[in-house]
Amino acid sequence: MSTDSPADFRAGDDSHSHRYTADLAQQIELRWQDRWEAEHTFEAPNPAGPLADTSGLAGRPKLFVLDMFPYPSGAGLHVGHPLGYIGTDVFGRFRRMKGYNVLHAIGYDAFGLPAEQYAIQTGTHPRVTTENNIANMRRQLRRLGLAHDQRRSVSTTDEDYYRWTQWIFLQVFNSWYDHDLDRARPITELLAELESGRRTLPDGRAWPALNAVERREAIDSYRLAYVSEAPVNWCPGLGTVLANEEVTADGRSDRGNFPVFKRSMRQWMMRITAYADRLIEDLNLLEWSDSIKTMQRNWIGRSSGARVTFDSPVGPITVFTTRPDTLFGASFLVVAPEHPLVEALTTPAQAGAVTAYRAAANSKSDVARQVEDRDKTGVFTGSYATNPVNGELVPVWVADYVLMGYGTGAIMAVPCGDQRDFEFARKFGLPIPAIQMPPASWFAGHGIDPTDDTGAWPCAFDGDGTYINSVNDSISLDGERTVAEAKELIIPWLVDGGSGEGTTTYRLRDWLFARQRYWGEPFPIVYDETGMPVAIPESMLPVTLPPLDNFRPAEFDPNDASSEPDLPLGRVKEWATITLDLGDGPKEYRRDLNVMPQWAGSCWYELRYLDPTNSERFVDPEVERYWMGPQAPGDSGGVDLYVGGVEHAVLHLLYARFWHKVLFDLGHVSSREPYHRLFNQGYILAAAFKDEREVYVDALGVTEEPDGTFAFEGKPVAREWGKMGKSLKNAVAPDDMYNEYGADTLRLYEMSMGPFDTSRPWSTKDVVGMYRFLQRVWRSFVDENAGSFRVVDAPCDDATRRLLHRTMEGVAADYEGLRFNTAIAKLIELNNHITKAAAAGLEREVAVPFVQMLSPLCPHLAEELWARLGHSGSVTYEPFPLPDPALLVSDTIEYPVQVNGKVRARLTVPASASVADVEAAAIGDERVIASLDGKTPKKVIVVPGRLVNIVV
RNA sequence: GCCCGAGUGGCGGAAUGGCAGACGCGGAGGAUUCAAAAUCCUUUGUUCGCAAGGACGUGUGGGUUCGAAUCCCACCUCGGGCACCA
């Protein structure tokens, strides 16, 4: 038997000419999709500007629901992609019926590496492939019946769009971070402060004493977007540098899995580190899952501690530590091989060893340093530094377990309290003085007797213990106190003595923003004769991407760390220079030849959805305030519901929050955060099959053998599960599902598979369950043989009415909580009841709310039935049915009666029965008496409305 | 190693302190059909029993409770994130 092949499940023709078949579904669906478009059904009015229609707003609360910005793939959509889109569509449609003005749109994140690589593969210009791919994706999404406002469907590659991406870049470029006010401000205000003398430069130079070039350099050093020579991630395999966030833990590109090398290069950076604290603090304002918040906090990696200065013969060495309370236990220093003082520290006797060690460390990639050798290596420099708490001379070592990129690139080693230092000290025979006495439990846990002789310790001790040996003339930490208490004692002492200060460091680095590729937004920047960047005037935006036939990047050996970036835009000689008059007469300028990373366009797209046709501003402030403004004092504002996969936990979500905060600081938006509520939907997984060469075979061609094994073309293959996609050869196209079952069935199936936030395996053979459900629904309304409408005006019976109203209550709550799978189960139960109860015809009082409840999930079928019920308009804005509270409570209650927790009988009593009545009835029940077997009940628990439990 | 999340029938899942397995797939039996597909009806956790009915059952072991899939502790397995970050 073949598995997962749509052809095997094709709904066949049959003699019932009025049955709900795939063909009928298709007719209905296409008809309603055309009508929605013609009637502009899903266009959401703005409060101002070209999309304004204030009559449509009257009294409606707003809802902005958003899907993560999709990349229009050349392979088209598979059924895994629309899972989130269907969920947001159902929710949006439900809220429309609850009276909301709902903004739901989707656009295209079409710049970037994948689009360029696809173009290279197909030998077609990315402009062409991108447009084709977008057209195909629009077609596929339209066929799903999503209630999107088409007017708002932007693409990052549209000149009207990237003009504003460049404009925002200039806002960032023309801003600086005022740490006193804790917000970004225009660079012009900085200039004014420096000129007036209200602010002085950090290095103490006087502003009037600087020449014009020095002044520009000083200003440039404040900008939120700046060019700097710094270690970057160079990826020859992709021909570009990458942001830290785009490099995996094992030192490879997250796209393409190519090796990445640390190299020093001059590159554009964005000062996201200025926002590190706010990016952490404002997480508290957001409705995001704890796991995503934790991932962001971890990525930013804030740790508080102290900088402590150790004097040395060649000058002070500053170390960063999170445990200044352990200073008395610092028995040596370790500096990174790249530390600037290494050369000076090295004594002639040690020169050979140090030079060799540095060379070896340098030749190893970061990957090798971090992954291959966890075994500690290092060499002594020959020099000693002075521990400020006790004046002891401690040796200074060089070791590659200390990273130049974190803290100060130098550490004080406290081997008794830090496992890495402990291992290092053990290996090189360095002293391990104890400065804390661990609790007895710690010794017991390691099976040794308590001792302050660290020679007996199996590992370092990290925690609260009794401080010992931590005394000098002016301070004592000795005695029982927590780590936090000890830190509070030592930091003021360090400050008083001028040997240290409390400080905070971050793992987060500034965002490397330039890419040496073709398919991206050009920088709106030129360089003059000084080589310093100059902004292109806003009036000249957009800086359009020049046409280029040979847009391929130079091909490098992915392992060639010494290769140099080759900028495709540099090939357009006539574009690379430009004559401009920027106020001092026409001059020739060199253009910036980098392009922006793909993240740029997705950092602000939700704002453009709000006001896509505005040619004056990136978004009208009134429109932004309406859709995204804070809803109450202290509210962050932002998108009401943002749905997407968890893979953007740090990349997109961190960058977009950063840009949004800059725009907020500059007064361009009223919301502090772009995405108020984030919901991570699960993925659709699918079986993938590998043959004996470990190569994936087309899953559609795999058959299941009677013994439960799998075969492809007669040969055995092994099954595994993975995200649906091209690389695993297990993609199922939505187009096939529309053809075999219709879009409503596909929507229903995807929503019924499981909870919205968990991943679930796709199973084409299961789709038929939802198809049968819709056939039964149709059959309830339409006579399959005659084609006549079965809805009658007679009232329904009491049991049906009660079930109907319970369903109204439950389905509404499920939609609101994004529990679409249980909402569907409730609708199926109601329909299963109807098919038995309404044999003579379906009562209108059931039919009307049933269609309304079904419509968010299956809008096409619902519209069709709604029309047959006699309505001329769409069901989209009909109020969602409200249950009658009186019908939600019943006259009688059935109590299960347990004896010692096991159900032994059932008891039906009037709802008005008192606890005592229920208890008496339970004890008197003959089945209960039989179960008691003559024993006397010790206790009888009656939970009103739930059950009775008798304890013997 | 550290931090999250999850383990329930043959399968996807429901129940978040109160009748375990809603709903769907698959299986079994039946209706329809010349036959099949499709569709419809009945049934379907395991096990003992002719039956009535009983026993067992939510990864494992313990605990709290009248009562635990649900809460607590320990462990096992799987998935995700971070990882020489001082």
Side-chain angles (χ1 to χ4, degrees):
Chain A
M1 186 195 86
S2 161
T3 58
D4 278 4
S5 166
D8 290 315
F9 302 98
R10 167 133 193 126
D13 298 322
D14 53 62
S15 55
H16 305 279
S17 51
H18 299 279
R19 177 169 289 178
Y20 182 80
T21 59
D23 287 343
L24 179 57
Q26 172 131 306
Q27 279 175 36
I28 292 172
E29 288 166 7
L30 296 178
R31 187 162 71 239
W32 279 97
Q33 285 156 11
D34 289 344
R35 187 163 159 193
W36 290 330
E37 185 174 292
E39 296 182 357
H40 308 281
T41 307
F42 308 123
E43 293 184 359
N46 275 354
L51 306 189
D53 169 13
T54 44
S55 66
L57 292 178
R60 283 181 172 251
K62 65 90 184 181
L63 178 81
F64 185 9
V65 46
L66 183 71
D67 303 287
M68 281 190 185
F69 212 21
Y71 157 67
S73 159
L77 295 180
H78 58 66
V79 293
H81 290 115
L83 179 67
Y85 310 155
I86 298 169
T88 47
D89 188 58
V90 175
F91 184 68
R93 285 176 179 272
F94 171 66
R95 283 291 190 91
R96 283 191 187 90
M97 298 180 84
K98 296 298 275 185
Y100 283 76
N101 182 26
V102 175
L103 195 165
H104 194 192
I106 202 160
Y108 300 91
D109 188 14
F111 267 136
L113 267 173
E116 191 177 304
Q117 284 168 332
Y118 180 73
I120 290 169
Q121 251 172 48
T122 57
T124 315
H125 194 275
R127 170 76 56 197
V128 176
T129 55
T130 299
E131 279 168 11
N132 290 343
N133 294 350
I134 289 175
N136 184 43
M137 189 159 160
R138 284 216 167 98
R139 178 191 62 78
Q140 287 184 303
L141 291 178
R142 186 180 190 274
R143 190 63 189 81
L144 264 177
L146 302 172
H148 291 160
D149 185 339
Q150 292 302 332
R151 302 170 304 171
R152 302 173 187 264
S153 180
V154 299
S155 164
T156 51
T157 52
D158 294 340
E159 287 179 15
D160 279 345
Y161 183 90
Y162 73 72
R163 167 191 180 172
W164 296 108
T165 308
Q166 292 171 335
W167 181 85
I168 295 171
F169 175 86
L170 289 182
Q171 295 296 310
V172 179
F173 178 72
N174 284 319
S175 303
W176 60 293
Y177 204 84
D178 183 337
H179 286 278
D180 298 326
L181 298 181
D182 209 17
R183 64 178 178 86
R185 297 172 62 192
I187 206 86
T188 50
E189 295 180 13
L190 173 69
L191 191 61
E193 291 193 4
L194 289 166
E195 282 174 348
S196 71
R198 267 185 294 145
R199 181 174 291 271
T200 52
L201 293 172
D203 58 11
R205 290 180 301 166
W207 186 256
L210 303 185
N211 66 31
V213 169
E214 288 168 333
R215 288 180 183 184
R216 276 177 64 190
E217 280 172 348
I219 291 287
D220 283 357
S221 72
Y222 276 89
R223 294 182 187 274
L224 291 186
Y226 61 98
V227 178
S228 107
E229 176 83 28
V232 297
N233 307 299
W234 167 238
C235 180
L238 293 174
T240 183
V241 296
L242 297 172
N244 287 354
E245 290 77 12
E246 294 170 296
V247 181
T248 60
D250 49 342
R252 290 180 158 259
S253 59
D254 69 343
R255 208 173 269 290
N257 200 33
F258 293 109
V260 170
F261 303 92
K262 270 273 187 259
R263 284 268 308 273
S264 191
M265 280 187 200
R266 238 177 109 71
Q267 289 295 343
W268 279 103
M269 308 291 280
M270 282 211 176
R271 208 177 296 279
I272 190 172
T273 51
Y275 283 84
D277 283 322
R278 283 167 64 190
L279 288 169
I280 290 175
E281 299 310 324
D282 287 355
L283 286 172
N284 296 327
L285 305 175
L286 302 179
E287 289 178 55
W288 292 16
S289 71
D290 286 340
S291 68
I292 295 277
K293 287 184 179 182
T294 303
M295 282 162 75
Q296 291 232 334
R297 286 193 195 101
N298 288 346
W299 189 264
I300 296 167
R302 177 165 69 185
S303 54
S304 60
R307 283 177 199 275
V308 181
T309 302
F310 285 61
D311 282 327
S312 85
V314 300
I317 302 173
T318 302
V319 302
F320 173 74
T321 177
T322 56
R323 292 288 305 275
D325 59 300
T326 63
L327 253 169
F328 286 94
S331 54
F332 55 102
L333 296 191
V334 186
V335 298
E338 301 85 357
H339 195 278
L341 286 176
V342 172
E343 221 158 302
L345 284 164
T346 305
T347 58
Q350 293 298 101
V354 171
T355 307
Y357 185 77
R358 291 181 87 189
N362 192 33
S363 72
K364 277 189 271 181
S365 68
D366 273 18
V367 192
R369 266 170 72 166
Q370 292 178 21
V371 179
E372 285 171 19
D373 321 302
R374 308 283 289 206
D375 198 27
K376 297 284 178 294
T377 59
V379 289
F380 180 40
T381 61
S383 294
Y384 293 82
T386 311
N387 186 336
V389 291
N390 54 16
E392 270 177 32
L393 285 178
V394 296
V396 183
W397 286 63
V398 180
D400 67 3
Y401 81 92
V402 175
L403 308 175
M404 194 58 222
Y406 184 82
T408 61
I411 62 154
M412 62 175 206
V414 182
C416 70
D418 181 288
Q419 187 59 25
R420 293 156 301 183
D421 299 342
F422 184 87
E423 287 167 19
F424 193 85
R426 274 280 162 89
K427 176 158 178 186
F428 293 102
L430 292 158
I432 306 179
I435 44 105
Q436 275 177 305
M437 191 64 184
S441 60
W442 184 84
F443 289 104
H446 289 97
I448 52 173
D449 292 328
T451 172
D452 63 357
D453 173 12
T454 57
W457 293 12
C459 60
F461 167 72
D462 174 18
D464 288 325
T466 306
Y467 285 83
I468 53 173
N469 307 324
S470 298
V471 180
N472 65 25
D473 294 344
S474 51
I475 188 166
S476 169
L477 302 179
D478 278 0
E480 222 171 302
R481 50 172 54 92
T482 64
V483 168
E485 287 162 357
K487 283 185 193 175
E488 279 177 37
L489 285 173
I490 193 73
I491 290 176
W493 185 90
L494 289 168
V495 172
D496 285 348
S499 52
E501 58 179 349
T503 185
T504 305
T505 57
Y506 303 87
R507 203 183 83 109
L508 182 70
R509 309 279 84 175
D510 276 344
W511 176 17
L512 199 158
F513 193 71
R515 299 292 178 272
Q516 293 73 48
R517 300 285 297 210
Y518 171 66
W519 193 234
E521 301 88 346
F523 280 65
I525 292 285
V526 294
Y527 299 91
D528 63 11
E529 68 284 353
T530 66
M532 283 189 281
V534 180
I536 287 202
E538 279 180 30
S539 60
M540 294 180 66
L541 299 182
V543 175
T544 54
L545 189 62
L548 180 57
D549 290 336
N550 177 19
F551 48 84
R552 278 168 181 268
E555 286 187 22
F556 302 111
D557 176 350
N559 295 304
D560 180 7
S562 67
S563 49
E564 288 291 332
D566 167 72
L567 297 142
L569 288 182
R571 294 176 206 154
V572 197
K573 297 291 178 224
E574 66 282 6
W575 187 83
T577 58
I578 179 175
T579 303
L580 289 173
D581 184 348
L582 299 178
D584 49 357
K587 279 201 312 191
E588 185 158 279
Y589 294 88
R590 284 185 298 112
R591 285 191 194 265
D592 194 293
L593 302 176
N594 292 288
V595 296
M596 298 186 196
Q598 187 174 6
W599 311 109
S602 58
C603 271
W604 71 283
Y605 70 108
E606 71 282 350
L607 291 163
R608 196 60 183 170
Y609 284 180
L610 304 182
D611 205 3
T613 59
N614 193 329
S615 55
E616 303 299 314
R617 285 186 58 82
F618 71 110
V619 60
D620 182 312
E622 188 182 343
V623 171
E624 187 274 336
R625 216 163 30 246
Y626 173 77
W627 288 111
M628 290 179 73
Q631 302 297 295
D635 178 31
S636 69
V639 173
D640 297 292
L641 177 66
Y642 192 29
V643 173
V646 74
E647 74 269 23
H648 292 299
V650 287
L651 289 153
H652 158 62
L653 289 171
L654 201 60
Y655 298 148
R657 292 180 66 214
F658 162 52
W659 273 35
H660 201 89
K661 286 185 180 304
V662 176
L663 292 170
F664 173 80
D665 285 354
L666 298 177
H668 296 307
V669 296
S670 67
S671 38
R672 316 178 77 88
E673 285 279 339
Y675 314 118
H676 183 75
R677 180 177 177 207
L678 172 70
F679 189 94
N680 292 113
Q681 104 253 346
Y683 297 109
I684 288 191
L685 307 175
F689 300 91
K690 268 183 182 171
D691 64 16
E692 67 282 354
R693 297 165 303 162
E694 295 282 292
V695 174
Y696 289 102
V697 301
D698 185 358
L700 289 178
V702 171
T703 55
E704 185 171 359
E705 302 299 303
D707 61 356
T709 63
F710 300 91
F712 180 75
E713 292 174 350
K715 292 179 185 151
V717 288
R719 181 174 67 176
E720 55 185 66
W721 294 93
K723 256 176 90 170
M724 186 175 279
K726 211 168 46 170
S727 56
L728 299 184
K729 291 193 183 171
N730 60 355
V732 175
D735 309 63
D736 292 337
M737 295 298 110
Y738 308 146
N739 292 335
E740 306 306 325
Y741 301 104
D744 281 332
T745 295
L746 175 63
R747 292 169 60 105
L748 208 47
Y749 173 65
E750 296 218 1
M751 292 298 97
S752 73
M753 293 164 79
F756 196 34
D757 60 356
T758 59
S759 294
R760 57 306 278 286
W762 177 267
S763 172
T764 298
K765 68 177 170 55
D766 290 1
V767 178
V768 72
M770 292 301 117
Y771 182 65
R772 287 180 192 143
F773 164 56
L774 292 185
Q775 287 189 325
R776 289 198 300 274
V777 170
W778 183 259
R779 200 175 293 125
S780 299
F781 283 79
V782 178
D783 185 289
E784 231 168 41
N785 299 307
S788 54
F789 204 50
R790 296 185 66 252
V791 172
V792 296
D793 285 326
C796 69
D797 63 73
D798 192 57
T800 304
R801 191 174 297 123
R802 286 180 184 279
L803 175 61
L804 173 68
H805 284 251
R806 277 205 307 278
T807 306
M808 289 176 192
E809 187 190 39
V811 168
D814 285 349
Y815 281 153
E816 187 58 41
L818 307 177
R819 294 183 299 270
F820 308 118
N821 55 330
T822 52
I824 292 168
K826 290 179 175 78
L827 289 170
I828 293 174
E829 281 182 278
L830 176 59
N831 189 58
N832 287 349
H833 177 87
I834 287 171
T835 55
K836 294 184 188 78
L842 179 62
E843 301 84 1
R844 180 169 291 269
E845 70 165 296
V846 183
V848 168
F850 188 89
V851 169
Q852 289 167 331
M853 288 191 284
L854 185 66
S855 68
L857 287 159
C858 302
H860 313 89
L861 178 58
E863 292 278 28
E864 184 67 20
L865 296 174
W866 190 247
R868 293 197 186 209
L869 281 165
H871 302 92
S872 57
S874 168
V875 72
T876 304
Y877 294 95
E878 290 297 321
F880 200 83
L882 285 174
D884 177 352
L887 291 168
L888 297 176
V889 294
S890 58
D891 303 339
T892 59
I893 299 175
E894 189 189 73
Y895 281 91
V897 183
Q898 299 180 335
V899 176
N900 282 344
K902 289 192 195 304
V903 179
R904 297 298 180 187
R906 281 164 207 289
L907 202 62
T908 301
V909 300
S912 57
S914 70
V915 168
D917 292 343
V918 175
E919 181 175 333
I923 292 175
D925 186 275
E926 60 182 46
R927 287 189 41 88
V928 172
I929 293 167
S931 300
L932 287 175
D933 198 21
K935 294 186 210 90
T936 317
K938 225 191 301 185
K939 193 169 174 187
V940 179
I941 293 130
V942 177
V943 185
R946 303 307 297 244
L947 55 50
V948 181
N949 190 14
I950 299 169
V951 187
V952 290

